[in-house]
Amino acid sequence: MSRTDLAARTTVTPSPAQAAILTAEAWLQPPPAAPGVLRVRPLPFEATASYAQRLAIAYQLTLPQLLDGAGITRHRHGTPPTAELHLNHNAARHLAALTRIPLPHLTRALPHLPLSDAAHTTKAAAYWKRLNAEQQPVRACTLCTRHRTHDTTDTAWVHRPPHRLICPRHHQAAPDPRLTSTIHTRAVPELPAAHHAHQQLLHHPRAVTAWTAARAITTRWYDHQHHLTHRWHTRLNQLITDSPQLNTTSSASPALLARDLVTYPETVTLARTLATLPNPPHHTTNDALNLIAHRLGLPRLASNANDPLRVFLTHTRH
């Protein structure tokens, strides 16, 4: 599949403007859009492999054919979500020229595109790289994907940040990359409320550190069944009832697949409280524990010296 072949896919009746779509000069600077060029917009935080695959489908090509037609040499094999497609700088420029989307705009949408403008002289190349479980993208909201792709597909993979855990508009979430379909969240109304509170937390200067600590603490509580076990079991059962596929994913139990979603409201509440706690000596550790228990809707928090929250308050904040 040559560049000329790829250009031919975008036209019905050849014209001088259309014939020039994928000339060698096109890779140097994205020219103005010509009739017949398909405009495929990336989703926010989309995996490069996911976007390239959707682009190939739009042109009725395989991904190797698309890359070859764009003058990008492909190395190794892979598929999302277990692997990501890494483009060097020149390959990213070729992709920008093909899509008629300026490279800075693509870079903002696709977090794994190269940020540096180094190595301009290297040949355009794409490399498949396997990802660790914590690095893998998750399924994007199917309805958002359909809207952005004009109903051509409902499948896309995104490297979502924590504050994008759920889609409050369409009541969907994919908290784990092992899930091949999204989870419906309409039965758990506290999730969109937590999403809204999380957006407010982002404006606080201690948001990142507070979120990291809160997530580690609630994950430990969840795994060791501390404090909020009954509430979390109830929420998990609500999610399973609404999304029975949680019980059919053989790679992990529903309790693991939905863990981040089940604990999300309390993680946000804890993070917001940790971010705004005054430093000692104005408040003791017990004062902070009582305040957090109140915010979480609990009569008290266990006074175990090894509890991760007590450890955090005692050693980290002093």
Side-chain angles (χ1 to χ4, degrees):
M1 175 65 62
S2 67
R3 297 177 186 177
T4 304
D5 295 329
L6 182 57
R9 294 276 185 160
T10 70
T11 62
V12 177
T13 303
S15 71
Q18 292 169 320
I21 290 174
L22 296 177
T23 62
E25 292 78 9
W27 311 119
L28 300 179
Q29 182 177 352
V37 174
L38 300 178
R39 304 306 297 265
V40 179
R41 294 185 299 163
L43 296 168
F45 310 104
E46 188 168 8
T48 305
S50 172
Y51 178 63
Q53 183 64 59
R54 292 198 298 108
L55 189 62
I57 291 172
Y59 280 102
Q60 300 181 27
L61 298 170
T62 65
L63 182 56
Q65 287 173 334
L66 178 88
L67 295 176
D68 182 64
I72 300 172
T73 303
R74 178 176 57 97
H75 298 274
R76 298 188 289 274
H77 301 277
T79 183
T82 57
E84 175 62 299
L85 193 64
H86 289 265
L87 277 60
N88 64 15
H89 180 78
N90 275 337
R93 294 172 70 210
H94 286 209
L95 183 65
L98 172 63
T99 60
R100 289 348 187 239
I101 299 175
L103 184 54
H105 294 183
L106 271 184
T107 302
R108 282 194 291 271
L110 307 177
H112 282 196
L113 272 187
L115 298 176
S116 172
D117 60 355
H120 282 271
T121 60
T122 59
K123 185 177 180 181
Y127 301 83
W128 281 105
K129 182 180 179 181
R130 290 194 62 82
L131 300 173
N132 297 327
E134 62 273 12
Q135 298 174 318
Q136 292 176 12
V138 296
R139 277 289 298 269
C141 170
T142 58
L143 295 179
C144 287
T145 304
R146 281 198 171 277
H147 174 72
R148 293 293 292 266
T149 62
H150 306 289
D151 290 324
T152 58
T153 182
D154 65 1
T155 302
W157 298 89
V158 293
H159 295 282
R160 59 155 182 79
H163 66 277
R164 295 290 187 95
L165 177 63
I166 70 168
C167 173
R169 180 180 181 183
H170 299 123
H171 304 284
Q172 290 188 25
D176 192 287
R178 290 169 290 190
L179 288 165
T180 57
S181 59
T182 56
I183 298 174
H184 300 292
T185 62
R186 194 178 296 275
V188 189
E190 58 266 38
L191 288 175
H195 172 85
H196 178 71
H198 201 166
Q199 312 314 303
Q200 295 178 322
L201 171 65
L202 298 179
H203 301 293
H204 197 281
R206 289 188 282 180
V208 174
T209 54
W211 172 261
T212 301
R215 185 174 181 271
I217 291 166
T218 55
T219 297
R220 180 88 174 272
W221 285 351
Y222 184 89
D223 290 344
H224 294 275
Q225 300 192 2
H226 291 166
H227 305 310
L228 297 149
T229 301
H230 177 73
R231 184 189 304 178
W232 285 340
H233 280 176
T234 300
R235 192 174 296 153
L236 176 61
N237 289 332
Q238 291 172 325
L239 292 170
I240 293 174
T241 299
D242 231 18
S243 301
Q245 70 270 23
L246 275 170
N247 275 324
T248 61
T249 302
S250 59
S251 58
S253 69
L256 285 178
L257 293 171
R259 179 173 59 190
D260 283 353
L261 198 57
V262 169
T263 62
Y264 185 58
E266 289 72 30
T267 303
V268 173
T269 298
L270 179 57
R272 294 186 72 190
T273 307
L274 293 179
T276 56
L277 277 179
N279 289 321
H282 303 292
H283 284 70
T284 67
T285 296
N286 286 334
D287 289 336
L289 287 172
N290 291 334
L291 173 62
I292 291 169
H294 174 73
R295 296 276 178 87
L296 292 174
L298 296 172
R300 63 181 178 84
L301 287 167
S303 58
N304 184 346
N306 294 322
D307 185 89
L309 177 58
R310 177 174 284 275
V311 171
F312 175 82
L313 293 173
T314 303
H315 300 287
T316 307
R317 299 181 62 251
H318 284 69

